[in-house]
Amino acid sequence: MTPTSPPTTPANTLPKWQPNWSPDHTDPGLPPITVITDPNDHPDYTTTALAAHQPAAGRITVHPTPLATAPAYLAHDLIRALGKHLPPPDAEPPWWTTNADDSWRAAVAWTKALGISHYVVCRAHRITARHLEHLMALREHTRIQLTLVVSGPTPAALATICKTVPHHHTDTLEGTRRHLPHAHQPLVAPSERYSWWHPAPFPAPPDEPWYELPSRPRRPAPLTHDSPAVDRATTGRPDTSHEAVAQRIHTRIGHPVHAAAVAVRVLTGYDTDQLPQVTIPTPQRPRAHLPAHLPTWVIPLLDASRVYTELQGHIRSDLPPHLSGADRPFHLASWDKDDVARASETCSLTPAPTRKRPNTPRKSRQ
């Protein structure tokens, strides 16, 4: 019998990442977990943990929502701790916020794209066993340092994890402060990276200026960085380096693909039906359909969008073999397009008015 060769995976197929973890599949090369136990719930422990929040240094402190047990909630808390916002409670929730797997994929994408290296999770005795499992899966995928502040009895699920995963333990305030050094000293933001941690107000104040997006091009075409753009509220399109627009997008859009899509609309004027054809810059294709020299604030958004698409494992049958779904990350279903439109409005961005072709009189027949 002639042996059959195993089926090959198409180049544009990516494995879907699930936020599942088991002790049998942990990487021993990861940084050990640090468990800080504070059974008496002394406020100085929480104060020290909150002061350790230094986004410029890649260290994020997360204070989980009390009594929030749904699997997606802790992922939402991570996203908020990164300075992002989900829609307000009175708004219709986007589809992805009710899906635990996609919420955790969004958290992983932001973690990797924003250069986060350390999460400090307060009140870890209150998070569920499922939350711990998802947090451990995030740790495996992003290789972050993880610190858990247990301000009460140690949960059984965490005790089980500590039996199989390398960890450090401290139960003193002095040890906590040694583990989180310079927690009260502000750090200088690196000059080569956009300071995404400087938030815009959320929700938007009533008197916030609105900006007009560039006119929709007839077909995708590169936009040069020195293309003319005006920095005028309401009547013009935003300058591609405008700090206010950048801060709004980084602050008010929790989904990485939607945030990147709004940013590309700001750069190019592409409509949601044109975005799926956009190829984002990579070392192999530096220009693609976007500027050769992108504004600094756009780069982490595009990186997060690419990572999220990889985690989603989208199969793009319309792509040539040398491209993957992550090269063209705007795989937008109808509901995604609606979310991108709403996200643009959340950032006080309005589409340019449609230019109608002027009426020309018909020639009369002789």
Side-chain angles (χ1 to χ4, degrees):
M1 180 181 295
T2 304
T4 58
S5 57
T8 58
T9 301
N12 59 353
T13 302
L14 297 168
K16 179 176 288 190
W17 179 80
Q18 305 288 350
N20 300 325
W21 177 84
S22 67
D24 297 335
H25 295 87
T26 190
D27 183 350
L30 293 175
I33 295 173
T34 297
V35 179
I36 299 172
T37 56
D38 168 32
N40 297 320
D41 199 4
H42 196 289
D44 284 351
Y45 284 83
T46 301
T47 300
T48 301
L50 294 175
H53 184 76
Q54 295 287 348
R59 186 169 62 229
I60 300 294
T61 298
V62 185
H63 199 290
T65 303
L67 304 178
T69 58
Y73 276 31
L74 186 58
H76 298 169
D77 289 330
L78 265 63
I79 293 170
R80 292 189 186 97
L82 292 169
K84 315 296 174 186
H85 283 84
L86 306 182
D90 57 345
E92 181 181 357
W95 64 270
W96 65 274
T97 61
T98 60
N99 184 291
D101 287 359
D102 281 303
S103 294
W104 281 95
R105 290 181 192 119
V108 168
W110 286 125
T111 299
K112 297 184 74 169
L114 298 178
I116 306 306
S117 58
H118 189 176
Y119 275 119
V120 181
V121 182
C122 298
R123 311 200 69 76
H125 60 294
R126 292 287 184 89
I127 63 178
T128 67
R130 179 66 63 84
H131 284 162
L132 276 173
E133 177 188 341
H134 291 345
L135 195 59
M136 293 296 292
L138 180 142
R139 169 181 174 264
E140 292 282 336
H141 198 81
T142 61
R143 308 189 70 81
I144 57 162
Q145 184 178 358
L146 180 61
T147 297
L148 303 174
V149 182
V150 180
S151 302
T154 301
L158 178 56
T160 300
I161 289 174
C162 290
K163 291 178 181 178
T164 57
V165 175
H167 68 282
H168 299 309
H169 174 259
T170 182
D171 57 2
T172 67
L173 188 57
E174 292 75 16
T176 300
R177 288 171 174 163
R178 284 195 301 270
H179 175 64
L180 301 172
H182 312 298
H184 297 276
Q185 299 178 12
L187 300 177
V188 178
S191 59
E192 72 277 3
R193 192 170 57 172
Y194 173 71
S195 54
W196 51 267
W197 51 86
H198 294 159
F202 181 86
D207 59 346
E208 178 173 88
W210 282 67
Y211 292 96
E212 184 180 289
L213 293 167
S215 300
R216 166 182 166 144
R218 292 186 178 181
R219 61 182 63 87
L223 174 73
T224 59
H225 188 58
D226 56 356
S227 294
V230 288
D231 180 15
R232 290 184 292 128
T234 306
T235 58
R237 69 186 186 186
D239 188 301
T240 56
S241 61
H242 195 287
E243 190 71 10
V245 173
Q247 289 177 344
R248 292 176 193 177
I249 296 174
H250 274 272
T251 300
R252 298 176 186 171
I253 309 177
H255 193 288
V257 174
H258 300 165
V262 173
V264 171
R265 296 190 74 192
V266 169
L267 288 174
T268 64
Y270 295 163
D271 206 346
T272 52
D273 60 350
Q274 293 175 310
L275 287 174
Q277 300 305 314
V278 172
T279 303
I280 62 177
T282 63
Q284 293 76 26
R285 289 172 298 282
R287 285 189 61 87
H289 285 144
L290 295 179
H293 302 288
L294 290 168
T296 308
W297 63 269
V298 177
I299 296 173
L301 301 176
L302 295 177
D303 288 344
S305 180
R306 182 189 294 112
V307 173
Y308 179 86
T309 302
E310 290 174 349
L311 299 175
Q312 275 286 83
H314 276 311
I315 300 174
R316 294 285 303 274
S317 58
D318 59 316
L319 297 183
H322 67 282
L323 294 180
S324 72
D327 295 305
R328 288 186 180 173
F330 302 120
H331 181 85
L332 302 177
S334 58
W335 51 85
D336 286 303
K337 295 179 180 180
D338 292 340
D339 288 340
V340 170
R342 282 193 291 266
S344 300
E345 294 179 359
T346 300
C347 296
S348 299
L349 300 169
T350 182
T354 303
R355 272 65 172 179
K356 294 184 178 179
R357 181 178 299 177
N359 293 326
T360 55
R362 295 183 178 179
K363 294 182 179 180
S364 60
R365 294 183 178 179
Q366 298 294 332

